[in-house]
Amino acid sequence: MDGLMQLPEDFTSQPLGLIALTGLDIKYNAIHRSIWDSFTVNRRPDRVPLHFRLLSGDHEYRKPKSKRSTYEWYIPKGIIKMDWMQKHVNEIPSVLVIFYDLDWNDPQWKEKQVECVSRVEIARSSLQGRNTKIAVVLIQTTAPLPPGEDMVAGERAATLCTSCELSSKALFVLPHNPDHLYGYIIRLENAFYELSQAYYHGECRRVKSRKELLNKQKHEVIIVRHQFKIAFFCELRQDRTSALKHYKYAYSNLKELEPNYRNMLETKLCASYFNYKICRLCFLDGSPVDAIAQFRSHVDYFKKKSGYAELAFIDAAWMSHQYSIFGDLFDEAVKSGLDAIQTQHPGFYYQHAACCAITRKQLCRELCQAAAMFPVQNTSETTKYVNYYGQRIWNQGYHTEASDADFEKAGVLAVQTEELKVDHCYIIIQLFSKAVSQFKKYKSSRMRRHLMIKMAEEYYHARDYSKALALLDRVAPDYRNEKWWELLTAVLNLWLKCAYLLADVQNYITVCIEMLSKYGTTDSDNKSRIQKNLLNIIEGKQPNPENDLTAPSIEEATKLWMQKFALIKSPVPAFDVDVSQLISFVECKVSFSASSFAADVPVTINVYLRSTAPLAMRFHKLSLKFNVEEYDKFCNIISKDSDNEENLILIPNQLKCITFKFVARADDVGESLECKSASLQLGDENSYNVAITWNASTSFVAIPAATLLPATSSLETLSFDHIQPKLTTKLTSRKSLICLKLQHEPPALVNEFYQVKLIIQNDELLEISDVSLGIGFSQNQDASQPANTWLCIDKISDSTIHSKSIKDIHISNIMPGEKVSRLLFIKCQNQGQRVILVKISYKIKIEVEREVTECKCKQTDSITIETIIPFETTVDTVTTEVNKVETLCAKEPYLLMTRLKCTSPWPITILNTTFNLINQFESVDINTLSQLSNVSLQKGEEATECFAIKYNGSIEKSKLNIGTLLINWKRSDQEYEQPDVESEFVLPTVLIDTSPIYIIIDKPAYGCLRAALPVTFELHNRTNLVQEVEINIDPCESFMFTGLKQVNLRILPSDIHALRYVMYPLATGYVTLPRLKLNLPRYQSNDSQGKATIAAQILVKPSSRKIQTDGIAVDAI
């Protein structure tokens, strides 16, 4: 019966105009076969929508009915005939195409023309009374000439059209050219499509012409039928707009009918077909809102209409199919590009369809009891539709009454019998499955879970308990996480029934554990029953049946349980239930008593247990597991028949605390100890045993920011809900009792070996052994500092073997109160701050919990060393006249004036200074001994050294670094013998230039006032050319002089010319000599080298005179 509600294929498929092809022998003629394949094989969407059928030339078509001249006394038997659409889609063609092999120049033209005319006449006679268009296609093997050139073809085509009584537009020529065949076929299709459109347009007009013969008061059914036919013809001619309009007319006229309970099914079926067409065309036209509005109006109107009261389930089935069909339409539109939203998508319609299917199932159980007791044997002929949609053999005719009441009653009973054969659960599950996939697609998780529970219930009713358990297992975790306890309890109740009916011990135990929890909303009596069933399984007994189960199902489940227990052999199976993701009736919290434990203190861990079951329960064993497996053996306990804490009897809602203590291993000091899981075993090895396990990663460690419990807390004052789990603790080393002192005098100086004295004193009560010392750098500092620092211990070694860290310096055993000292030397190669870490470790044997153990103790101390430079160095380049310059002339002497300023707070002794010049520079003096050797400087004192240099390299204008200055020094008052410290400073960079004339001034060291002072200017020509020199002496108020004031002269290459003057000082002190201005007019260089002004100073003393004092002549200055 369910298949009778489905939409016929004629309604669901897209109507296409039928084109009948005759005259093609596709079996024996390859040309005909290629033509047929071109029409039918691999039709792309862009080709015209037509349906082609290959028929024989003598095919018998369905004869048309006689035309009515009036409908005055006509009583329609139904609304839509079941074969009417099939007739126009597959039987009556809109165009009949006759293919015939005939060339224009065929020698047997006359004979073949007669044969072709005969075929046309046969086709026309077989379609007599129909308006089918007839066309002829001539298959020709020769290529056609351009239009107008082949006069024979034109004449013969006209003759053939006249003989066949065809229009010239109905005669076509198909040249068989494999390269262009596809193009010819496309053009033929377009021509056939135009003929087909004309045919269906004429059919629409023919049906519309009968409107004048109809009376709306008497012919309501015929009006509905005619509107449907017009709409269907419009669909065949691909006029969707007109088709939608006439389908709406047909639907509207159908709603105006007044059906009774006998023909209500026919009315509702036709309404569903019209509604389907309207909604489908609205979706195709991009009007989903209109489609949804139409469907809602449709179901709101017809849900109030009902047929036979004994067949009320048919109305529910009809409503279910309406929602399901519209859901399919909606889903198809979404796949085609329609955008649905979370509150309006196909899933809602599938859900409503499933709900109506549930109502159908319930009505079937209520109404089909008689059919179940007295079923009809042969129902196929009684229940199927005949002639018209919705009419059966016992209720034919739309307006007629039943002719045989007994026959009608038998028909009703047959329909009920057929309904009992329907698998309602399968239908409901399929609908719910579609709805779930839609809600999942649109991210409606709660609706998806709700429908999955509905599916599980249907699987339960269908006795497919395994699939029901699979669905419930997917839903329950979400309800646990979101704390929907009422819903979770309902899920678990169904789960428990399925597990019982399957005799699934693992699932049954798991659900029992969760149902007994404090979050289970079932009543206490039911919880007590569940707890007793759980204990029965532990004892190897069969559990009592669950509530609301039928007697046959209980009997079947009892057999399964008996088989389950009969197959059990020794050893008795154990079940492990991980309650990390469940809500268990036993609550467990594990907490270390401290956040860290020293090696000399036993590790203490408390396990808090509470049961929320209605009855007391004895457990067999409690055990803990850690990340270090060696400690597992210290934390397990087996229940004893006593009243102490080792008795694992849990009283309902009473807190029980069990404490474990153990000593940590010395190898685990510095590591973290974590409790990974806790396990509570119900039942011993001689019975079923269930291990309830809590994993730390997901269960009792879920509460953050754990708070340690006070040491004075007792079970009477302690609330389980206030206990915070603490699953991790740190195993620390025993507190060191040695004294480590680091003695030093900061700051340190760059490049010296800075001394730090390490003093280790044993304050332990016992001897310590394996004392090890390690020295390194702190990580919280500039990374470049450790790289430029060297360490050595006890003695200063070669710098090439210095270490950046010192590890495992072994010291002999130290007795109580004994002191041991070591010297640490630190060499810092740059200034800045450094943090040095000193780590010391040792072993000592102590007694913990009456057990002697060896503990490893560690202690770390640090010092901060500030490093400064010992000197501030300034180096200047000056002339021999002590004038500061930055440009040096080649082959002329200059002085390096070095000034050292002591910045050390300690006295510094300079041992030696060395100027390391580059190859282009050389020392002017032969004896280059240091002028600052063995000079001591206090803080702030300065020392100056002069060093004469000369540039002898290639003469080119460039910048060069002169070299470096090495200073060897040491502290003046160092305590221990240390190697000399060497500091290196970079000399300045100067610009090298050349001068054509080198001038040397020869003058005395000083002069006297008003006394002759000889001065000579020597001019050296350093070029390979004769140089013309213009010399001017500027007058000066401080001197009178004799000699040439202005002179022009020539100096030969590499020659020397001397200018001698006698000057007469007129002032005392450091007086500037008259300026000598030099100009080289022929020197081809820049102006600064071609011109020069020479100025020099000299010390002028006052003249000596004789003073008479008491008869004694004294020279006075």
Side-chain angles (χ1 to χ4, degrees):
M1 203 283 293
D2 192 65
L4 300 178
M5 289 291 176
Q6 298 292 340
L7 281 172
E9 185 180 357
D10 298 333
F11 280 94
T12 57
S13 61
Q14 181 185 359
L16 299 177
L18 177 61
I19 307 295
L21 306 182
T22 64
L24 293 178
D25 185 6
I26 62 174
K27 187 175 181 179
Y28 299 106
N29 194 320
I31 295 177
H32 291 187
R33 181 70 188 183
S34 63
I35 294 173
W36 170 250
D37 290 342
S38 300
F39 277 111
T40 57
V41 177
N42 296 328
R43 292 187 62 83
R44 297 185 303 184
D46 56 345
R47 295 174 69 171
V48 292
L50 293 174
H51 172 52
F52 294 94
R53 282 194 67 188
L54 182 63
L55 302 176
S56 61
D58 56 351
H59 179 76
E60 292 291 334
Y61 299 96
R62 182 181 295 194
K63 300 299 181 181
K65 295 185 298 182
S66 59
K67 304 300 180 182
R68 294 182 181 275
S69 58
T70 180
Y71 288 91
E72 187 67 25
W73 303 106
Y74 175 70
I75 300 176
K77 297 180 180 180
I79 302 176
I80 303 176
K81 265 197 170 184
M82 296 178 63
D83 62 344
W84 185 84
M85 285 183 293
Q86 183 68 22
K87 176 178 67 174
H88 286 279
V89 170
N90 286 318
E91 296 182 17
I92 300 176
S94 61
V95 180
L96 176 61
V97 183
I98 301 172
F99 286 86
Y100 190 74
D101 295 288
L102 180 60
D103 288 306
W104 299 123
N105 56 357
D106 194 300
Q108 299 178 353
W109 168 260
K110 293 292 185 181
E111 293 81 357
K112 289 188 176 182
Q113 178 184 356
V114 172
E115 183 180 357
C116 180
V117 172
S118 174
R119 291 187 180 185
V120 173
E121 291 297 330
I122 293 173
R124 187 175 282 118
S125 62
S126 63
L127 289 170
Q128 186 177 5
R130 302 287 183 185
N131 297 322
T132 301
K133 306 294 182 181
I134 297 178
V136 175
V137 178
L138 300 181
I139 304 174
Q140 298 183 347
T141 57
T142 59
L145 295 175
E149 296 185 6
D150 193 347
M151 303 302 295
V152 175
E155 293 176 0
R156 291 188 173 183
T159 303
L160 184 60
C161 289
T162 303
S163 302
C164 295
E165 299 179 4
L166 293 175
S167 169
S168 60
K169 294 182 178 180
L171 178 63
F172 304 94
V173 175
L174 178 59
H176 186 269
N177 186 342
D179 296 334
H180 301 89
L181 179 62
Y182 182 75
Y184 294 143
I185 296 297
I186 294 296
R187 296 169 71 177
L188 279 178
E189 281 186 356
N190 293 331
F192 297 161
Y193 183 69
E194 292 180 2
L195 294 174
S196 176
Q197 292 282 88
Y199 167 78
Y200 290 118
H201 181 68
E203 290 296 297
C204 289
R205 295 181 64 183
R206 182 178 61 82
V207 177
K208 288 179 182 180
S209 66
R210 301 175 187 170
K211 185 177 180 182
E212 299 176 355
L213 304 177
L214 300 177
N215 186 339
K216 193 171 183 180
Q217 300 297 328
K218 298 180 180 180
H219 306 113
E220 304 98 328
V221 175
I222 301 176
I223 292 175
V224 173
R225 182 191 300 170
H226 285 182
Q227 291 293 344
F228 166 72
K229 290 183 177 181
I230 295 172
F232 190 75
F233 284 135
C234 289
E235 269 199 289
L236 286 170
R237 56 192 292 260
Q238 309 305 315
D239 186 359
R240 291 199 303 223
T241 303
S242 299
L244 177 61
K245 180 179 69 173
H246 288 283
Y247 277 129
K248 287 183 178 180
Y249 288 160
Y251 182 82
S252 177
N253 292 328
L254 182 68
K255 290 171 65 177
E256 295 178 2
L257 299 178
E258 296 180 359
N260 54 34
Y261 70 95
R262 296 186 66 255
N263 54 27
M264 180 58 70
L265 178 61
E266 180 181 3
T267 304
K268 294 176 74 170
L269 279 179
C270 293
S272 67
Y273 299 158
F274 298 161
N275 175 74
Y276 173 82
K277 287 289 188 179
I278 294 171
C279 293
R280 184 172 182 271
L281 291 174
C282 286
F283 278 123
L284 291 176
D285 290 341
S287 303
V289 177
D290 296 341
I292 295 172
Q294 162 64 27
F295 178 75
R296 288 179 176 175
S297 173
H298 170 67
V299 295
D300 289 343
Y301 180 81
F302 282 99
K303 69 182 179 181
K304 305 171 186 177
K305 308 291 183 179
S306 59
Y308 288 91
E310 300 87 347
L311 303 179
F313 53 82
I314 294 181
D315 297 319
W318 180 86
M319 187 65 70
S320 175
H321 281 85
Q322 298 310 295
Y323 280 107
S324 176
I325 291 168
F326 187 77
D328 292 338
L329 275 176
F330 201 167
D331 188 37
E332 182 181 352
V334 170
K335 293 178 180 178
S336 300
L338 178 66
D339 293 330
I341 58 177
Q342 195 177 43
T343 57
Q344 186 64 260
H345 59 78
F348 291 103
Y349 300 95
Y350 290 132
Q351 179 191 3
H352 284 297
C355 293
C356 293
I358 294 175
T359 304
R360 172 188 178 182
K361 180 178 68 172
Q362 296 171 349
L363 291 173
C364 174
R365 291 178 179 175
E366 297 173 2
L367 301 176
C368 299
Q369 296 179 2
M373 297 174 61
F374 307 102
V376 178
Q377 298 301 324
N378 187 7
T379 61
S380 59
E381 296 297 329
T382 312
T383 57
K384 69 179 183 179
Y385 299 146
V386 293
N387 296 328
Y388 291 90
Y389 287 112
Q391 294 185 7
R392 294 185 174 91
I393 193 171
W394 45 270
N395 68 338
Q396 297 185 59
Y398 193 80
H399 293 291
T400 59
E401 296 296 333
S403 57
D404 189 347
D406 295 335
F407 186 43
E408 184 178 24
K409 185 176 181 180
V412 170
L413 188 62
V415 174
Q416 290 178 343
T417 304
E418 194 70 20
E419 180 68 13
L420 289 174
K421 300 177 183 179
V422 176
D423 188 353
H424 297 94
C425 292
Y426 175 79
I427 297 173
I428 297 169
I429 290 170
Q430 291 298 316
L431 293 171
F432 274 134
S433 178
K434 290 182 178 181
V436 167
S437 63
Q438 292 293 330
F439 281 106
K440 181 180 179 181
K441 177 181 178 181
Y442 293 98
K443 298 179 176 57
S444 300
S445 57
R446 290 184 177 177
M447 281 297 298
R448 179 178 61 86
R449 293 196 294 268
H450 170 67
L451 297 180
M452 289 174 69
I453 294 176
K454 291 292 186 181
M455 286 180 64
E457 291 175 352
E458 290 304 319
Y459 277 121
Y460 171 77
H461 295 313
R463 304 173 65 86
D464 194 347
Y465 307 119
S466 299
K467 291 183 179 179
L469 286 178
L471 286 172
L472 294 174
D473 189 32
R474 293 172 57 188
V475 172
D478 295 325
Y479 287 147
R480 291 191 197 100
N481 295 334
E482 297 181 9
K483 300 180 181 180
W484 294 94
W485 306 127
E486 292 283 351
L487 298 177
L488 179 61
T489 302
V491 170
L492 293 176
N493 192 27
L494 180 60
W495 196 335
L496 191 63
K497 292 179 181 179
C498 293
Y500 173 79
L501 294 172
L502 285 174
D504 188 341
V505 180
Q506 178 75 38
N507 267 302
Y508 192 84
I509 292 175
T510 303
V511 178
C512 286
I513 290 174
E514 198 161 6
M515 286 284 284
L516 292 174
S517 69
K518 63 181 179 181
Y519 299 108
T521 58
T522 185
D523 57 84
S524 58
D525 293 340
N526 192 33
K527 284 188 176 181
S528 299
R529 182 187 60 81
I530 293 173
Q531 186 174 2
K532 291 177 182 178
N533 281 345
L534 177 61
L535 294 176
N536 286 341
I537 292 179
I538 299 300
E539 296 172 1
K541 300 178 181 179
Q542 180 179 338
N544 296 322
E546 297 300 316
N547 298 328
D548 302 329
L549 296 181
T550 61
S553 62
I554 293 176
E555 183 179 356
E556 184 178 351
T558 302
K559 294 180 181 179
L560 291 176
W561 281 103
M562 293 177 63
Q563 294 174 4
K564 179 75 68 172
F565 287 120
L567 295 175
I568 295 175
K569 299 179 180 180
S570 182
V572 179
F575 299 96
D576 188 4
V577 180
D578 185 358
V579 295
S580 303
Q581 301 293 341
L582 305 180
I583 309 298
S584 172
F585 74 96
V586 180
E587 297 174 291
C588 175
K589 292 185 180 179
V590 179
S591 178
F592 285 98
S593 61
S595 59
S596 63
F597 293 92
D600 58 344
V601 177
V603 178
T604 304
I605 185 170
N606 298 318
V607 181
Y608 299 94
L609 299 172
R610 184 177 68 175
S611 171
T612 58
L615 305 176
M617 185 174 288
R618 177 190 293 274
F619 290 88
H620 176 65
K621 183 180 179 181
L622 173 66
S623 60
L624 302 180
K625 293 186 181 298
F626 299 89
N627 58 335
V628 181
E629 296 181 357
E630 284 73 10
Y631 298 119
D632 295 349
K633 60 185 178 182
F634 300 111
C635 297
N636 58 71
I637 183 175
I638 297 178
S639 179
K640 298 180 180 179
D641 295 331
S642 60
D643 295 333
N644 57 15
E645 66 174 8
E646 294 184 355
N647 187 349
L648 291 177
I649 297 178
L650 298 185
I651 307 300
N653 298 314
Q654 288 188 12
L655 177 64
K656 188 174 187 64
C657 178
I658 298 175
T659 302
F660 298 102
K661 290 185 179 181
F662 56 89
V663 179
R665 300 185 307 169
D667 295 339
D668 296 329
V669 171
E671 303 295 334
S672 293
L673 181 62
E674 180 183 2
C675 180
K676 303 295 291 185
S677 66
S679 180
L680 190 62
Q681 181 177 322
L682 180 63
D684 56 18
E685 288 75 10
N686 298 323
S687 63
Y688 274 93
N689 58 86
V690 179
I692 303 175
T693 305
W694 294 266
N695 286 320
S697 59
T698 54
S699 58
F700 47 74
V701 75
I703 303 176
T707 304
L708 296 180
L709 298 174
T712 59
S713 298
S714 63
L715 291 180
E716 290 75 12
T717 60
L718 195 59
S719 172
F720 184 86
D721 296 331
H722 294 160
I723 298 174
Q724 301 292 336
K726 179 68 176 177
L727 302 177
T728 305
T729 190
K730 186 74 173 179
L731 301 180
T732 61
S733 60
R734 176 179 172 273
K735 184 179 180 181
S736 173
L737 296 180
I738 65 170
C739 179
L740 178 61
K741 296 181 180 179
L742 307 175
Q743 297 179 353
H744 64 109
E745 296 182 3
L749 302 180
V750 174
N751 286 334
E752 77 162 342
F753 285 95
Y754 184 68
Q755 174 186 318
V756 178
K757 188 174 184 180
L758 311 178
I759 301 176
I760 305 170
Q761 180 177 343
N762 182 9
D763 291 339
E764 297 276 6
L765 299 177
L766 301 173
E767 178 186 8
I768 62 175
S769 60
D770 291 344
V771 184
S772 179
L773 187 67
I775 304 171
F777 296 92
S778 173
Q779 300 295 328
N780 300 324
Q781 60 180 325
D782 188 359
S784 63
Q785 298 293 10
N788 296 313
T789 307
W790 301 88
L791 305 174
C792 55
I793 195 75
D794 290 338
K795 63 179 181 179
I796 301 173
S797 57
D798 192 333
S799 61
T800 58
I801 60 172
H802 291 168
S803 301
K804 293 182 173 60
S805 63
I806 301 175
K807 299 179 180 178
D808 299 332
I809 302 173
H810 296 284
I811 302 175
S812 60
N813 296 358
I814 304 177
M815 302 301 294
E818 183 182 354
K819 291 184 180 180
V820 177
S821 63
R822 290 293 181 93
L823 288 179
L824 173 65
F825 294 97
I826 305 171
K827 182 179 180 180
C828 306
Q829 295 182 324
N830 59 353
Q831 59 182 348
Q833 194 177 74
R834 292 162 176 80
V835 180
I836 309 296
L837 297 180
V838 179
K839 300 179 181 179
I840 187 169
S841 62
Y842 63 91
K843 293 181 180 179
I844 185 171
K845 293 183 178 180
I846 59 173
E847 184 177 350
V848 181
E849 292 290 312
R850 299 179 182 180
E851 181 181 348
V852 177
T853 182
E854 187 176 58
C855 292
K856 188 174 183 180
C857 303
K858 297 180 181 180
Q859 184 173 335
T860 302
D861 203 351
S862 64
I863 57 172
T864 301
I865 300 175
E866 185 70 32
T867 306
I868 63 173
I869 58 175
F871 306 103
E872 289 182 358
T873 306
T874 304
V875 181
D876 296 324
T877 54
V878 299
T879 64
T880 53
E881 300 297 330
V882 198
N883 295 324
K884 187 175 180 180
V885 293
E886 295 180 356
T887 302
L888 305 186
C889 293
K891 299 181 181 180
E892 294 185 12
Y894 292 91
L895 301 179
L896 289 176
M897 299 297 294
T898 305
R899 287 183 292 276
L900 302 179
K901 182 179 180 180
C902 180
T903 58
S904 169
W906 325 109
I908 297 296
T909 299
I910 299 176
L911 302 177
N912 188 27
T913 58
T914 304
F915 288 89
N916 293 331
L917 306 177
I918 63 175
N919 295 334
Q920 290 89 335
F921 286 93
E922 66 179 16
S923 175
V924 176
D925 298 329
I926 298 176
N927 185 8
T928 58
L929 296 177
S930 174
Q931 301 169 7
L932 301 179
S933 179
N934 296 323
V935 173
S936 296
L937 299 176
Q938 299 287 341
K939 182 176 182 180
E941 293 183 346
E942 293 186 3
T944 303
E945 182 176 13
C946 180
F947 189 77
I949 61 172
K950 181 171 61 174
Y951 180 79
N952 283 331
S954 59
I955 302 174
E956 57 182 10
K957 196 165 186 177
S958 62
K959 287 187 176 183
L960 291 177
N961 178 262
I962 298 176
T964 59
L965 171 63
L966 297 179
I967 302 177
N968 296 85
W969 57 275
K970 67 177 182 179
R971 290 196 185 195
S972 300
D973 52 354
Q974 62 184 11
E975 182 178 355
Y976 296 93
E977 185 67 28
Q978 296 187 15
D980 298 341
V981 184
E982 184 178 81
S983 298
E984 185 178 29
F985 300 94
V986 179
L987 296 177
T989 299
V990 296
L991 180 64
I992 304 301
D993 206 344
T994 182
S995 176
I997 301 296
Y998 174 58
I999 301 174
I1000 298 177
I1001 304 175
D1002 185 12
K1003 59 183 177 53
Y1006 63 90
C1008 294
L1009 186 66
R1010 296 185 183 88
L1013 180 65
V1015 177
T1016 302
F1017 294 94
E1018 292 184 356
L1019 280 64
H1020 296 254
N1021 183 3
R1022 292 184 174 176
T1023 67
N1024 296 326
L1025 302 174
V1026 177
Q1027 296 292 341
E1028 291 187 1
V1029 183
E1030 297 177 356
I1031 299 174
N1032 288 314
I1033 299 293
D1034 288 345
C1036 181
E1037 295 180 355
S1038 301
F1039 286 94
M1040 292 188 298
F1041 63 89
T1042 62
L1044 299 174
K1045 182 178 180 181
Q1046 181 175 356
V1047 62
N1048 296 337
L1049 53 88
R1050 293 183 179 180
I1051 304 176
L1052 297 177
S1054 302
D1055 197 5
I1056 301 174
H1057 185 84
L1059 296 176
R1060 295 179 176 85
Y1061 295 89
V1062 177
M1063 298 190 180
Y1064 191 74
L1066 301 179
T1068 59
Y1070 281 97
V1071 184
T1072 302
L1073 295 175
R1075 299 179 182 273
L1076 184 141
K1077 292 184 178 181
L1078 192 83
N1079 184 27
L1080 305 176
R1082 296 177 58 183
Y1083 186 70
Q1084 303 296 325
S1085 185
N1086 55 51
D1087 295 339
S1088 61
Q1089 293 179 336
K1091 297 180 181 180
T1093 300
I1094 308 302
Q1097 288 184 335
I1098 191 171
L1099 176 62
V1100 178
K1101 297 181 179 181
S1103 59
S1104 60
R1105 62 180 182 274
K1106 295 185 181 285
I1107 302 175
Q1108 191 72 27
T1109 304
D1110 297 334
I1112 300 174
V1114 179
D1115 291 336
I1117 299 177

